[in-house]
Amino acid sequence: MLQKVSAKDYPESSTISIENEETTIDEHCLGTTVNESYEKALNEQGKQSIGQVYFGYDSDYDTTIISLLEIIKPDGKVVKIDPEKILKKVSQSAFSSFSNIYTETSWILTGSLPDVEVGDIVHTIDKTITHKTHMENNFFDKISVETYSTVLKSYYRLTAPKSIKINVIHIN
């Protein structure tokens, strides 16, 4: 889908993405989340944006494994990247301050991708394994319809035991 999209289609955007998230939890709300993202650079600003990759996690609650990192060129050529070679910097995540919650166990893995060009698509798959919930036997997630970049398609799937009561709260 993204191969066919050009900057002319979305003149106000620097990137465009497809995002898929699938979460599976058990009766204690522990489980795994697999995030798959395709993000295309539509212009020079987009090229700078997708050339940097970020993966956040909280070591007190979960573990994140980067299972795929690749660049798909406009001609279809796929350049595989070894996440262990690219994701060198682990630092305290500043994002927790946005929630008005400070934690010393919130981390962000960052890395720079080589040779990213306008028209390239960065494809990532990461898996987060939740080994401790923030509130015992409670699951929380959010789906945002507003982001800093254009989203062409977004997919979310939650698989949970029938015994778990799911409450959906819609804000705005």
Side-chain angles (χ1 to χ4, degrees):
M1 289 172 67
L2 288 180
Q3 289 286 35
K4 298 175 185 176
V5 175
S6 74
K8 293 176 190 169
D9 299 320
Y10 296 90
E12 301 295 320
S13 301
S14 58
T15 64
I16 189 162
S17 64
I18 294 174
E19 300 168 0
N20 301 311
E21 182 175 326
E22 294 191 39
T23 299
T24 303
I25 59 173
D26 64 14
E27 61 278 351
H28 303 290
C29 298
L30 302 174
T32 61
T33 298
V34 177
N35 292 296
E36 181 174 29
S37 172
Y38 296 84
E39 190 169 19
K40 182 176 185 174
L42 297 176
N43 56 30
E44 284 296 319
Q45 183 181 356
K47 172 182 147 179
Q48 299 301 318
S49 175
I50 72 167
Q52 298 294 313
V53 289
Y54 306 90
F55 301 92
Y57 65 98
D58 190 319
S59 59
D60 196 30
Y61 298 97
D62 45 52
T63 302
T64 296
I65 300 164
I66 314 309
S67 54
L68 180 73
L69 187 52
E70 63 187 11
I71 301 168
I72 304 169
K73 297 291 185 178
D75 65 1
K77 179 183 173 192
V78 176
V79 179
K80 301 261 184 208
I81 308 288
D82 182 352
E84 303 236 349
K85 291 181 181 176
I86 296 298
L87 300 170
K88 300 266 184 195
K89 187 174 180 186
V90 179
S91 56
Q92 205 85 55
S93 175
F95 298 118
S96 64
S97 63
F98 294 126
S99 310
N100 200 22
I101 299 169
Y102 176 76
T103 174
E104 292 183 354
T105 59
S106 183
W107 304 97
I108 189 159
L109 283 166
T110 61
S112 297
L113 298 175
D115 305 320
V116 175
E117 299 295 331
V118 173
D120 286 355
I121 298 169
V122 172
H123 179 205
T124 62
I125 299 176
D126 64 275
K127 179 180 184 178
T128 300
I129 303 161
T130 302
H131 49 79
K132 177 181 169 185
T133 57
H134 289 266
M135 290 176 56
E136 189 175 342
N137 296 321
N138 279 275
F139 171 77
F140 166 81
D141 206 353
K142 63 186 175 304
I143 303 167
S144 179
V145 294
E146 291 184 315
T147 67
Y148 291 106
S149 64
T150 303
V151 177
L152 183 64
K153 178 181 170 265
S154 180
Y155 174 82
Y156 182 88
R157 179 180 183 165
L158 172 63
T159 303
K162 289 184 181 195
S163 61
I164 294 201
K165 180 181 176 187
I166 304 292
N167 295 307
V168 177
I169 299 170
H170 176 258
I171 300 172
N172 295 335

